[in-house]
Amino acid sequence: MAVSFKMCVSFGLFVGLMMLGLVSSAKFDELFQPGWAMDHFIYEGELLKLKLDNYSGAGFASKSKYLFGKVTMQIKLVEGDSAGTVTAYYMSSDGPNHNEFDFEFLGNTTGEPYLVQTNVYVNGVGNREQRMNLWFDPTKDFHSYSILWNQRQVVFLVDETPVRVHTNMEHKGIPFPKDQAMGVYSSIWNADDWATQGGLVKTDWSHAPFIASYKGFEIDACECPVSVAANEIAEKCRSSGEKRFWWDEPTMSELSVHQSHQLVWVRANHLVYDYCTDTARFPVMPVECEHHRH
């Protein structure tokens, strides 16, 4: 059976494999399970489709939780008039002080581009939205969307191009998500009260069902079983002595020069909203924005 996660503690040859960062793909049901509206799931071989109609959306969740690593899904978004719909793909821990990393794909009227909203929650506090359009039509083919997470940074990637970086700035007194294991989730749902042009454009149910398609599920991360105590999770998934995880290697602590150039290009050409520059919402600039390089 294909294995696409790395256990919290591994030794010997398997440590070497982790250092190389080998990733294996897995079928949906090896890593995930339906979360709600199972009758809105469509299975076509390796392909999974989630359906939204005026009765319900649908969503799924990973069977395990993880701390650090990389998760990837290939997604083809709703074609045609997708106004009012949101396809969400995110990682999240549990509880009121949860951490969360969000991709939210905001539908639009036919011919208008999808917007991609990212957000980061730390200790239950979000309000760190960025929005961008993409350099391709995400409804015509599958594209990979990834979240890379280690003790130094959280990187959002589209087809391996970084589109956002959230850097650890604990040395500035700013909390960073590094001690709560997170599940991986995706869903499609109706959000026409805000998703398209601030809620001005509503969902046209005559175009339902709205279909989001998935394949290529990959998780290369530190799995944290329920049996692991919360105060032991971070230690289990941190490199020490003979135990080495690829995400702790020095090259993973920041973007490469090429990746930094890619991020600059994305921000210059595709970023349409950044909470850091929204003085109406934040008359006083959020503290992480004052120090953040990106």
Side-chain angles (χ1 to χ4, degrees), residues 207-248:
H207 294 148
F210 303 98
I211 304 290
S213 303
Y214 300 78
K215 65 178 183 178
F217 302 94
E218 299 178 359
I219 300 179
D220 186 7
C222 181
E223 185 188 31
C224 295
V226 176
S227 59
V228 178
N231 61 348
E232 297 177 359
I233 288 175
E235 191 61 34
K236 292 279 188 185
C237 297
R238 183 181 299 120
S239 297
S240 62
E242 295 299 316
K243 183 182 66 176
R244 300 293 301 173
F245 294 110
W246 64 265
W247 51 82
D248 287 332

Side-chain angles (χ1 to χ4, degrees), residues 15 50 62 69 75 79 84-85 94 96-97 99 130 148 175 199 204 210-211 253-254 258 268 272 282 291 294:
V15 173
L50 295 189
S62 60
I75 306 173
E79 293 190 67
T85 71
D94 299 326
N97 297 317
N99 299 327
Q130 292 182 0
L148 170 66
D204 185 345
F210 303 98
I211 304 290
S253 64
E254 61 183 1
H258 176 63
V272 298
F282 303 102
H291 304 288
H294 303 301

Side-chain angles (χ1 to χ4, degrees), residues 48-294:
L48 169 68
K49 296 181 177 180
L50 295 189
K51 178 174 68 173
L52 167 67
D53 56 27
N54 56 352
Y55 296 102
S56 179
F60 60 83
S62 60
K63 294 179 178 179
S64 297
K65 287 183 166 50
Y66 306 89
L67 186 73
F68 307 137
K70 184 179 180 182
V71 301
T72 299
M73 292 182 195
Q74 295 180 39
I75 306 173
K76 183 168 72 170
L77 297 172
V78 177
E79 293 190 67
D81 183 358
S82 58
T85 71
V86 171
T87 304
Y89 159 46
Y90 60 103
M91 298 184 70
S92 181
S93 58
D94 299 326
N97 297 317
H98 75 292
N99 299 327
E100 185 175 330
F101 313 138
D102 295 341
F103 272 111
E104 291 181 308
F105 305 97
L106 312 183
N108 217 330
T109 53
T110 302
E112 294 297 317
Y114 253 88
L115 287 179
V116 181
Q117 177 169 287
T118 60
N119 201 354
V120 175
Y121 285 74
V122 184
N123 296 334
V125 179
N127 297 322
R128 298 180 176 91
E129 298 91 347
Q130 292 182 0
R131 288 187 180 185
M132 68 193 70
N133 53 46
L134 295 167
W135 50 97
F136 53 83
D137 184 343
T139 72
K140 298 303 183 185
D141 205 349
F142 287 90
H143 293 269
S144 68
Y145 302 91
S146 305
I147 300 169
L148 170 66
W149 174 33
N150 59 31
Q151 297 180 72
R152 300 293 189 88
Q153 59 180 354
V154 181
V155 185
F156 295 77
L157 302 112
V158 176
D159 289 338
E160 294 302 307
T161 296
V163 298
R164 179 174 185 171
V165 176
H166 184 81
T167 304
N168 185 332
M169 290 184 285
E170 288 180 302
H171 63 288
K172 299 285 188 180
I174 301 168
F176 183 80
K178 66 175 187 178
D179 57 4
Q180 297 182 41
M182 305 172 85
V184 185
Y185 305 87
S186 189
S187 58
I188 184 170
W189 44 290
N190 177 45
D192 64 4
D193 57 332
W194 66 271
T196 305
Q197 297 179 34
L200 294 177
V201 182
K202 302 300 182 181
T203 303
D204 185 345
W205 294 109
S206 70
H207 294 148
F210 303 98
I211 304 290
S213 303
Y214 300 78
K215 65 178 183 178
F217 302 94
E218 299 178 359
I219 300 179
D220 186 7
C222 181
E223 185 188 31
C224 295
V226 176
S227 59
V228 178
N231 61 348
E232 297 177 359
I233 288 175
E235 191 61 34
K236 292 279 188 185
C237 297
R238 183 181 299 120
S239 297
S240 62
E242 295 299 316
K243 183 182 66 176
R244 300 293 301 173
F245 294 110
W246 64 265
W247 51 82
D248 287 332
E249 291 305 291
T251 54
M252 304 306 298
S253 64
E254 61 183 1
L255 299 184
S256 68
V257 172
H258 176 63
Q259 289 175 319
S260 294
H261 290 165
Q262 288 180 312
L263 180 60
V264 169
W265 177 82
V266 169
R267 291 182 60 85
N269 293 280
H270 295 280
L271 188 69
V272 298
Y273 175 81
D274 186 351
Y275 77 104
C276 284
T277 59
D278 190 341
T279 55
R281 283 181 69 196
F282 303 102
V284 177
M285 180 180 288
V287 63
E288 69 265 22
C289 299
E290 298 175 14
H291 304 288
H292 218 289
R293 291 179 298 169
H294 303 301

